[in-house]
Amino acid sequence: MAVVVGVSLKAYFGRRRARVWFGEIAGIARGNAAVRSGAVSVFVAPSYLQIDDARGYVDGTGIALAAQDVSAFEPGAYTGEVTAAELAESGVTYAEIGHAERRRLLGDTPEVVAAKTAAALRHRLTPVLCIGEVERQDAAAAARESVDQLGAALADAPAGRVVVAYEPVWAIGAPEPAPPAHVATVARAVRGALDADADRAGSSVVYGGSAGPGLLARLGDDVDGLFLGRFAHDPAAFAAVLDEAADLAARRSSR
């Protein structure tokens, strides 16, 4: 299984700034042998308006495109919605679903998250399911809450691979990520839930929440990769994480 590195730009960049960044990371990906070989799988989630801009830069680099959200509805009279069908037609292959900001600010209840997950899978988009506890708590309790959130998101979902992004809400935007031992406990529980579901073959568990260079080397095999936010705005930091992902992929392949 490939090591996964994802990036969400949220709404930080305008289109002009985003184009510069796309060009920079495209060059980095082309120069990374593990990305070229598929040992490291990379996806980037720009804003909706930036998706076509991004595609022009990243085609042929090994970088896949993601959307930061997806409609729960099929095409129809749903003003302002962007459907999974249209995203798939636009070359998007991943859809971020259930991020803490959307749950807190924009009404993404567990039922909405489940509907969006099902819509993405119906149109062969890989959901990037964001889960994690709101308040800091012990790792065992965090693991139980995260597994419950995962189960709710996948209720009645069609079969298909998912990327589960464990992002404890208290760690998002914090000076430091969650401690490695905490992440390991939660990630193992989430991995166990995925492995017990035959419909989720090939799924990955990644960590997000103040993730940046140096973290993947510390987490090692406890996760399948990272989901990056603001730290990836610096192309050098993005390159450093890809190098760590390549090292992890090489260690796994040598066993």
Side-chain angles (χ1 to χ4, degrees):
M1 181 187 299
V3 176
V4 178
V5 176
V7 180
S8 175
L9 293 182
K10 302 193 178 185
Y12 284 109
F13 291 174
R15 290 182 72 178
R16 184 177 298 121
R17 175 67 185 92
R19 290 186 192 111
V20 173
W21 187 83
F22 297 143
E24 291 170 330
I25 66 158
I28 290 167
R30 285 192 188 94
N32 190 294
V35 175
R36 293 197 307 271
S37 71
V40 174
S41 176
V42 182
F43 67 85
V44 171
S47 72
Y48 287 132
L49 290 177
Q50 296 162 6
I51 286 172
D52 276 348
D53 296 340
R55 186 170 54 186
Y57 286 94
V58 305
D59 273 358
T61 67
I63 297 176
L65 290 177
Q68 295 180 25
D69 190 36
V70 62
S71 177
F73 302 106
E74 294 298 317
Y78 302 105
T79 301
E81 291 292 279
V82 180
T83 66
E86 185 178 5
L87 289 172
E89 185 182 357
S90 301
V92 170
T93 53
Y94 292 83
E96 185 179 358
I97 298 170
H99 190 276
E101 292 157 356
R102 294 204 58 88
R103 292 178 191 258
R104 177 171 58 89
L105 299 172
L106 297 165
D108 279 16
T109 64
E111 293 76 18
V112 170
V113 169
K116 290 181 175 183
T117 301
L121 287 167
R122 282 196 301 271
H123 292 277
R124 302 185 184 277
L125 300 180
T126 298
V128 181
L129 292 175
C130 300
I131 63 172
E133 71 278 13
V134 174
E135 301 294 335
R136 189 161 189 166
Q137 54 189 284
D138 69 79
R144 289 192 295 272
E145 184 171 342
S146 296
V147 170
D148 286 347
Q149 288 179 18
L150 176 63
L154 293 174
D156 301 319
R161 171 180 179 255
V162 299
V163 174
V164 180
Y166 171 55
E167 296 193 303
V169 180
W170 53 267
I172 297 173
E176 297 290 335
H182 180 100
V183 175
T185 297
V186 177
R188 281 196 294 268
V190 171
R191 167 54 62 195
L194 290 171
D195 288 347
D197 185 347
D199 286 341
R200 306 302 155 210
S203 293
S204 303
V205 181
V206 302
Y207 174 79
S210 299
L215 180 60
L216 190 55
R218 291 157 56 200
L219 293 175
D221 281 332
D222 290 328
V223 297
D224 298 314
L226 295 179
F227 191 28
L228 306 172
R230 68 188 189 279
F231 286 107
H233 294 180
D234 177 1
F238 174 76
V241 172
L242 287 192
D243 288 341
E244 292 171 28
D247 289 342
L248 177 58
R251 291 198 302 275
R252 288 182 170 184
S253 67
S254 67
R255 293 173 189 157

